[in-house]
C-alpha cells in the first residue's frame, strides 16, 4: 500500500508542477503537509492518498473519473467531498453550498472532514503572507466553523491549534499578552503541578494503582476565553479552576473511579465541580472523570481521569475511533454518534435561504450542547440556550407546534426557561390542532434557542394562507411603528426595509420570514426633525449618561476615589488601596505613597471597568391600573440591567395609568428586549417610545 501513496505523491507533484503558493514555495508543499498531519493521526492509506490529491481537481482540472481509474473510487469520492467550489470564499451562496456539500459527504464518510480540517490547519500556519483583511476573514471563519467542528468531532489536537492560530490573527496584541503571562508563570506553575503530581502518584501507589500523572497544558485561546468569562463575573485570573490542571491516565475504567476516590481522600473536592463523562459520554465520544479539588496552599486544581484508550479518543476523536472500527463489520456506537448530523441534514433540505442554512449549521452543529431527559429517562441533546419549545420540536415537529406549557423537573415553568444539563423535561401539548405563536420567532422574547426549531416555526407560517400572513404582518408593523413612535408612509417603510412591494413585506413579516426586531432596527434608521425642547411652557431637563467606575476584581464593585497624589486617568496602569473609611483609593502603579506602604495586604488589584456608551431614552407605558404594577414594571427593567433615571405616573378616570420612564440603554438590541419584556407584564396595554426631547438611538 505504500506504493499507492508514492504514486499519489508523484501524480500530485506532476499536476502541481510550476504552481506556487502566495508564500512563493512550491504548491506541492501544501497537500504534502496536509497528508503528513493525517499520517500523525495514523489514518488509513486511502485517506492519505486523498489528502495528497485533494487540490488536483480544483486547481489542475483533473477529472474525478481519472482519479477513480488511477487510485480507486473510494479515493475519488473522498477528493470530491473535500473539493471546494470556485470562488466560494467570496460568495455567500457558494460558501453555503460548499458547506452543505461537505456536511453531506461527512455524513457518508467522516474522513472527508478530517482531510478538510488538516487542509485548514496548514493554511492557517501559512496565513501571514496574505493581506490583513483576508487573514482576518479566514481566521474568523476558522473560529466560527472549523474549530467548533473539530470540537464536535472530539479532535482536540486540531481544535486547540486552530483556536490559537485564529486568535493570533484576530487579536495579535491580546495573544502576545496572554502568551507572555502564561510564560512568566510557567516555572511557578510547573513546580507546583510537579509537587502535587508526585504526591498523587505516592497515594495511588499505596492503593495499588498504576498510571501516568502529568500536568495538563492550557492553550492561549482557551485561557483568553476563561479570562473573559471570569472578568465578566468580577473574578481574577487566579480564580480560574483549571489554570492548575492534572491529567491521570490509568488502565481501566474501574481504575478511573478508584483513582477518583484516592484524589477525594487526598484533597477536599469543590461542590458542583464534578462531572462523570464515563457514565454519560459527550456526543463527540469524549469520556473522562472531571473533578476540581482544593489542593496544597488553597489553590484549586482540576483533575481529568481517563484510560489510555479514552485519552487517545479525546485527543484525536473520530480519527482515533475510525482506526478502532476498521476490521469490524458494524460499529453501532459510531453510527449513533453520526445521527446528529444526518438528522440536521434531513430538515435542512427544506431550506431555500442561504443565511438560514449557515445560521443552522453554526448554531445547531457547532455550538455547545446541553443534555436533558425525557420523562421516560431517554437522553436528548439540544443546543445550549434551548427552551422547552426546542425540546418539543426535537422530539417531534407536531409536538412543538402544539406546545402550550412545560414541566421541568416536575415543576411548571414558562416556555422561555433555559434548559440546563440533567433537567427532566415534559411538554404539555394542546389536544387541538393549533400552531406555534409568531412571538416564538422574536429573539427578544427568548422562546426558541435553536435554529432547527426556529426553521420549523417559519415553515409552519409559510404554509398558512397568504392573506392571513399579510393581515398578521400589518398588525405587527403597526405595533412596531407605534412602539418606536414613528410616522412613516408606505414608501418610506419599503425603502428602509429594502422591499419593492408592501404586500411582500407584510407577508414575510406575518410568516416569520423577517422578524419584528429586524424591521424595528430598519425603521429606527428614519431620522425625524427634532421637536421643540419646550413642552407645556416648561423646558425639559437635559439628560446625561452615568459614567463607568472602577472594577475591583475578586471583590466586586466598591466605593472608589481617585488618589489626589498621582491623579490616574483611564489608560494608566493602576493599583487600589483599601482605606478604613473611604472605600478603595486608586493610585497609579509606582506611586511613591504606595511604595512606602507598611500594610501591603491592603493593596488590591483594580482595573478600569468595561466602558459602555449609554443613551437616554424615554418610553411610555399604558396599562390597566392594579396593585404591584409599578413594582413589576421596574423589575422587568432591572432584569435587563437597564438603569432607570426617572418615573412619572399619571392615573386616568377610565382606570388606566400612564408611566413615563427615562432609562439608560446600550443599544437598540437591548431596548428591543426591554420592550418585549414589558409587553409581557400583566395588564400592560401598550409600550411606546417618546422621542420628543431625546436624540434617536441607532443600532451599534
Amino acid at each position: 500500500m505504500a506504493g499507492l501513496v508514492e504514486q499519489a505523491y508523484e501524480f500530485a507533484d506532476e499536476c502541481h508542477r510550476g504552481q506556487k503558493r502566495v508564500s512563493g514555495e512550491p504548491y506541492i508543499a501544501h497537500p504534502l503537509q496536509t497528508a503528513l498531519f493525517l499520517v500523525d493521526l495514523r489514518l488509513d492509506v486511502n485517506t492519505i492518498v486523498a489528502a495528497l490529491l485533494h487540490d488536483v481537481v480544483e486547481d489542475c482540472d483533473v477529472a474525478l473519473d481519472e482519479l477513480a481509474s488511477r487510485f480507486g473510487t473510494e479515493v475519488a469520492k473522498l477528493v470530491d467531498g473535500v473539493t471546494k467550489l470556485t470562488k466560494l470564499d467570496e460568495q455567500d451562496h457558494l460558501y453555503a453550498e460548499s458547506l452543505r456539500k461537505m456536511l453531506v459527504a461527512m455524513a457518508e464518510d467522516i474522513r472527508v472532514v478530517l482531510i478538510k480540517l488538516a487542509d485548514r490547519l496548514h493554511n492557517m500556519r501559512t496565513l501571514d503572507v496574505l493581506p490583513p483583511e483576508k487573514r482576518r476573514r479566514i481566521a474568523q471563519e476558522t473560529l466560527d466553523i472549523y474549530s467548533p467542528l473539530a470540537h464536535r468531532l472530539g479532535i482536540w489536537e486540531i481544535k486547540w491549534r486552530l483556536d490559537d492560530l485564529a486568535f493570533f490573527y484576530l487579536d495579535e496584541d491580546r495573544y502576545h499578552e496572554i502568551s507572555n503571562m502564561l510564560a512568566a508563570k510557567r516555572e511557578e506553575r510547573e513546580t507546583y503541578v510537579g509537587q502535587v503530581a508526585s504526591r498523587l502518584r505516592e497515594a495511588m501507589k499505596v492503593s495499588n494503582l498504576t498510571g501516568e500523572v502529568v500536568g495538563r497544558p492550557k492553550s492561549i485561546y482557551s485561557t483568553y476565553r476563561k479570562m473573559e468569562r471570569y472578568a465578566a463575573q468580577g473574578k481574577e485570573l487566579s480564580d480560574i479552576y483549571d489554570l492548575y490542571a492534572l491529567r491521570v491516565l490509568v488502565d481501566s475504567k474501574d481504575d478511573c473511579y478508584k483513582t477518583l476516590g484516592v484524589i477525594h481522600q487526598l484533597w477536599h473536592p469543590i461542590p458542583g465541580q464534578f462531572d462523570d463523562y464515563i457514565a454519560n459520554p459527550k456526543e463527540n465520544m469524549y469520556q473522562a472523570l472531571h473533578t476540581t479539588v482544593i489542593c496544597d496552599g488553597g489553590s484549586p486544581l482540576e483533575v481529568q481521569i481517563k484510560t489510555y484508550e479514552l485519552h487517545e479518543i479525546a485527543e484525536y476523536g473520530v480519527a482515533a475511533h475510525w482506526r478502532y472500527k476498521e476490521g469490524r463489520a458494524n460499529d453501532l456506537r459510531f453510527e449513533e454518534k453520526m445521527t446528529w448530523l444526518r438528522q440536521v441534514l434531513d430538515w435542512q433540505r427544506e431550506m431555500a435561504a442561504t443565511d438560514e442554512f449557515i445560521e443552522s449549521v453554526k448554531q445547531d452543529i457547532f455550538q455547545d450542547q446541553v443534555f436533558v431527559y425525557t420523562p421516560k429517562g431517554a437522553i436528548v441533546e439540544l443546543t445550549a440556550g434551548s427552551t422547552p419549545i426546542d425540546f418539543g420540536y426535537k422530539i417531534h415537529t407536531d409536538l412543538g407546534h402544539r406546545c402550550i406549557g412545560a414541566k421541568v423537573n416536575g415543576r411548571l415553568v414558562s416556555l422561555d426557561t433555559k434548559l440546563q444539563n440533567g433537567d427532566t423535561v415534559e411538554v404539555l401539548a394542546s389536544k387541538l390542532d393549533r400552531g406555534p405563536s409568531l412571538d416564538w420567532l422574536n429573539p427578544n422574547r427568548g422562546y426558541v434557542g435553536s435554529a432547527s426549531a426556529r426553521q420549523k416555526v417559519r415553515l409552519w407560517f409559510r404554509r398558512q394562507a397568504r392573506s392571513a400572513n399579510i393581515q398578521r404582518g400589518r398588525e405587527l408593523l403597526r405595533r412596531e411603528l407605534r412602539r418606536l413612535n414613528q410616522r412613516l408612509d408606505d414608501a418610506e417603510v419599503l425603502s428602509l426595509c429594502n422591499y419593492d412591494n408592501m404586500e411582500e413585506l407584510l407577508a414575510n413579516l406575518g410568516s416569520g420570514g423577517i422578524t419584528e426586531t429586524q424591521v424595528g432596527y430598519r425603521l429606527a434608521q428614519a431620522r425625524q426633525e427634532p421637536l421643540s425642547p419646550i413642552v407645556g411652557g416648561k423646558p425639559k431637563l437635559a439628560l446625561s449618561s452615568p459614567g463607568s467606575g472602577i472594577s475591583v476584581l475578586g471583590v466586586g464593585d466598591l466605593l472608589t476615589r481617585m488618589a489626589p497624589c498621582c491623579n490616574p486617568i483611564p489608560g494608566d496602569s493602576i493599583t487600589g488601596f483599601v482605606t478604613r473609611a473611604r472605600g478603595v483609593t486608586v493610585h497609579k502603579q509606582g506611586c511613591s505613597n504606595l511604595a512606602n506602604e507598611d500594610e501591603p495586604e491592603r493593596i488590591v488589584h483594580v482595573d478600569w471597568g468595561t466602558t459602555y456608551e449609554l443613551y437616554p431614552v424615554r418610553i411610555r407605558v399604558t396599562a390597566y391600573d392594579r396593585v404591584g404594577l409599578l413594582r413589576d414594571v421596574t423589575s422587568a427593567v432591572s432584569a435587563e440591567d437597564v438603569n432607570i433615571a426617572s418615573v412619572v405616573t399619571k392615573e386616568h378616570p377610565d382606570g388606566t395609568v400612564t408611566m413615563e420612564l427615562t432609562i439608560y440603554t446600550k443599544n437598540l438590541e437591548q431596548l428591543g428586549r426591554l420592550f418585549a419584556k414589558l409587553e409581557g407584564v400583566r395588564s400592560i396595554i401598550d409600550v411606546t417610545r417618546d422621542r420628543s426631547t431625546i436624540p434617536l438611538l441607532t443600532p451599534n
Side-chain angles (χ1 to χ4, degrees):
M1 298 301 283
L4 189 64
V5 174
E6 187 176 351
Q7 291 174 34
Y9 173 76
E10 291 172 353
F11 182 74
D13 188 33
E14 179 64 31
C15 291
H16 290 299
R17 185 159 295 164
Q19 294 179 351
K20 301 281 188 183
R21 303 198 81 209
V22 179
S23 62
E25 65 181 344
Y27 193 89
I28 189 63
H30 171 63
L32 180 60
Q33 290 298 320
T34 301
L36 286 173
F37 188 80
L38 294 172
V39 169
D40 290 340
L41 298 185
R42 289 177 283 166
L43 287 168
D44 63 296
V45 169
N46 283 334
T47 306
I48 307 304
V49 170
L52 287 167
L53 302 172
H54 77 271
D55 276 337
V56 298
V57 172
E58 180 186 3
D59 296 336
C60 307
D61 297 325
V62 175
L64 286 170
D65 290 342
E66 182 178 354
L67 288 184
S69 65
R70 283 176 177 267
F71 304 101
T73 55
E74 186 176 345
V75 169
K77 193 173 182 180
L78 289 172
V79 172
D80 184 43
V82 177
T83 299
K84 302 185 293 293
L85 298 179
T86 306
K87 298 181 180 177
L88 64 92
D89 286 337
E90 284 79 27
Q91 301 185 40
D92 283 343
H93 69 284
L94 289 179
Y95 173 75
E97 186 56 38
S98 180
L99 185 57
R100 191 192 302 264
K101 180 180 178 183
M102 182 177 74
L103 294 174
V104 171
M106 173 181 158
E108 297 174 357
D109 193 332
I110 196 64
R111 293 173 296 175
V112 169
V113 81
L114 298 179
I115 299 171
K116 190 70 178 176
L117 287 170
D119 168 74
R120 174 52 63 112
L121 180 59
H122 184 251
N123 283 334
M124 289 298 297
R125 285 170 169 168
T126 57
L127 207 60
D128 57 319
V129 297
L130 298 180
E133 279 303 310
K134 193 168 185 178
R135 288 202 301 258
R136 290 186 61 82
R137 179 177 58 77
I138 293 174
Q140 191 62 57
E141 178 185 278
T142 298
L143 274 187
D144 288 345
I145 298 293
Y146 290 95
S147 170
L149 181 55
H151 169 72
R152 183 73 182 194
L153 298 176
I155 313 175
W156 170 250
E157 184 66 19
I158 292 181
K159 174 182 165 49
W160 78 261
R161 295 176 190 273
L162 289 176
D163 279 342
D164 281 4
L165 287 166
F167 182 42
F168 174 81
Y169 289 110
L170 289 171
D171 193 344
E172 187 174 349
D173 291 341
R174 194 81 169 114
Y175 177 94
H176 285 303
E177 179 186 335
I178 295 173
S179 176
N180 293 336
M181 178 201 71
L182 291 176
K185 292 178 175 289
R186 181 171 295 137
E187 184 175 348
E188 171 193 338
R189 188 167 61 248
E190 289 177 351
T191 300
Y192 182 83
V193 169
Q195 291 171 351
V196 296
S198 177
R199 189 175 171 193
L200 178 56
R201 287 190 203 100
E202 289 299 319
M204 290 174 63
K205 189 175 180 181
V206 171
S207 300
N208 296 318
L209 291 168
T210 59
E212 182 180 337
V213 182
V214 294
R216 186 166 60 86
K218 292 294 297 177
S219 75
I220 294 173
Y221 184 67
S222 65
T223 303
Y224 162 75
R225 290 287 301 273
K226 273 200 164 63
M227 288 175 67
E228 291 290 296
R229 289 197 297 269
Y230 275 59
Q233 299 168 21
K235 298 180 180 178
E236 296 186 82
L237 180 64
S238 59
D239 294 320
I240 297 179
Y241 283 152
D242 58 354
L243 195 61
Y244 295 121
L246 282 183
R247 177 185 295 127
V248 182
L249 303 180
V250 292
D251 294 323
S252 68
K253 292 181 180 178
D254 283 345
D255 286 351
C256 288
Y257 289 100
K258 290 176 183 176
T259 302
L260 177 69
V262 170
I263 292 169
H264 284 180
Q265 285 180 350
L266 203 57
W267 299 297
H268 185 71
I270 297 177
Q273 295 295 319
F274 169 70
D275 292 295
D276 186 349
Y277 295 120
I278 292 179
N280 298 289
K282 291 186 178 181
E283 199 65 14
N284 62 6
M285 296 178 296
Y286 179 83
Q287 288 183 278
L289 298 178
H290 287 198
T291 186
T292 303
V293 295
I294 296 296
C295 200
D296 303 341
S299 297
L301 173 77
E302 184 185 80
V303 186
Q304 293 181 354
I305 312 167
K306 320 171 198 172
T307 67
Y308 290 98
E309 181 179 339
L310 293 179
H311 175 59
E312 188 166 2
I313 291 176
E315 293 295 296
Y316 301 111
V318 294
H321 198 84
W322 180 266
R323 296 201 301 275
Y324 295 142
K325 77 186 283 286
E326 283 191 302
R328 301 179 189 176
N330 287 299
D331 190 331
L332 296 178
R333 177 178 171 81
F334 182 79
E335 292 304 318
E336 287 172 2
K337 295 302 180 185
M338 295 307 295
T339 56
W340 58 270
L341 179 61
R342 297 189 179 100
Q343 288 171 354
V344 170
L345 289 170
D346 283 343
W347 62 261
Q348 282 173 355
R349 291 190 184 98
E350 301 183 47
M351 292 187 188
T354 296
D355 55 350
E356 288 178 8
F357 173 73
I358 294 177
E359 174 200 18
S360 68
V361 169
K362 285 184 177 180
Q363 190 168 17
D364 285 349
I365 296 181
F366 296 155
Q367 280 196 356
D368 290 337
Q369 313 297 307
V370 294
F371 300 91
V372 299
Y373 294 94
T374 68
K376 293 183 178 180
I379 296 178
V380 177
E381 178 190 4
L382 298 168
T383 304
S386 290
T387 66
I389 295 175
D390 295 292
F391 175 85
Y393 278 111
K394 184 78 171 184
I395 299 299
H396 195 281
T397 300
D398 186 55
L399 181 61
H401 288 339
R402 294 189 297 113
C403 176
I404 56 173
K407 290 182 179 179
V408 174
N409 302 324
R411 299 177 59 185
L412 282 171
V413 297
S414 61
L415 290 178
D416 60 354
T417 300
K418 299 293 184 286
L419 301 178
Q420 305 297 323
N421 279 320
D423 284 345
T424 298
V425 187
E426 179 185 355
V427 170
L428 307 179
S430 169
K431 294 182 180 180
L432 302 176
D433 187 17
R434 55 168 285 166
S437 165
L438 201 59
D439 283 338
W440 293 0
L441 291 176
N442 188 340
N444 293 329
R445 298 290 181 95
Y447 285 119
V448 176
S450 68
S452 57
R454 216 162 17 246
Q455 176 63 11
K456 290 173 182 177
V457 175
R458 288 192 187 110
L459 286 173
W460 187 89
F461 280 106
R462 285 173 187 165
R463 290 169 182 155
Q464 305 309 300
R466 181 177 172 84
S467 59
N469 285 336
I470 290 174
Q471 182 58 35
R472 189 182 296 108
R474 182 173 284 110
E475 291 302 317
L476 292 173
L477 180 61
R478 285 175 182 165
R479 186 169 77 178
E480 202 61 34
L481 287 170
R482 189 169 62 249
R483 173 191 289 179
L484 295 170
N485 196 16
Q486 294 275 34
R487 296 177 182 84
L488 303 174
D489 58 31
D490 286 358
E492 290 175 300
V493 171
L494 290 173
S495 175
L496 289 167
C497 296
N498 296 321
Y499 274 80
D500 298 323
N501 181 283
M502 180 57 77
E503 279 197 359
E504 195 65 32
L505 169 63
L506 296 176
N508 266 331
L509 181 57
S511 68
I514 57 174
T515 67
E516 293 174 75
T517 304
Q518 291 172 315
V519 170
Y521 283 172
R522 293 170 184 175
L523 295 179
Q525 296 170 11
R527 296 279 182 178
Q528 294 183 339
E529 290 296 320
L531 301 176
S532 168
I534 306 298
V535 179
K538 297 181 180 179
K540 293 269 184 165
L541 293 176
L543 295 169
S544 60
S545 301
S548 310
I550 301 293
S551 173
V552 183
L553 297 181
V555 180
D557 292 334
L558 296 176
L559 175 66
T560 59
R561 60 186 287 272
M562 298 298 145
C565 54
C566 53
N567 291 316
I569 60 174
D572 287 338
S573 296
I574 53 176
T575 300
F577 180 77
V578 180
T579 67
R580 287 188 168 82
R582 292 178 294 178
V584 176
T585 303
V586 180
H587 295 259
K588 283 186 185 178
Q589 282 190 2
C591 176
S592 58
N593 284 348
L594 284 186
N596 300 320
E597 176 55 47
D598 57 1
E599 294 181 89
E601 67 275 6
R602 293 170 64 185
I603 297 176
V604 295
H605 178 73
V606 297
D607 202 355
W608 297 105
T610 304
T611 302
Y612 297 105
E613 189 166 358
L614 300 178
Y615 300 86
V617 178
R618 185 168 287 122
I619 59 177
R620 181 178 291 111
V621 178
T622 304
Y624 295 110
D625 199 7
R626 62 175 175 83
V627 175
L629 175 63
L630 181 60
R631 177 203 61 203
D632 291 348
V633 168
T634 54
S635 295
V637 175
S638 177
E640 274 302 314
D641 291 327
V642 172
N643 188 40
I644 301 176
S646 66
V647 180
V648 178
T649 63
K650 183 178 181 182
E651 297 179 356
H652 303 290
D654 60 359
T656 62
V657 62
T658 301
M659 302 182 189
E660 287 193 358
L661 293 85
T662 301
I663 62 171
Y664 294 110
T665 184
K666 299 173 188 175
N667 49 42
L668 266 180
E669 183 179 357
Q670 187 184 48
L671 185 62
R673 290 197 304 269
L674 176 60
F675 274 28
K677 271 196 165 50
L678 289 174
E679 287 172 344
V681 174
R682 182 168 61 89
S683 79
I684 284 189
I685 303 169
D686 194 23
V687 183
T688 58
R689 183 164 155 206
D690 183 357
R691 301 176 188 275
S692 56
T693 62
I694 302 175
L696 180 69
L697 176 65
T698 56
N700 282 350

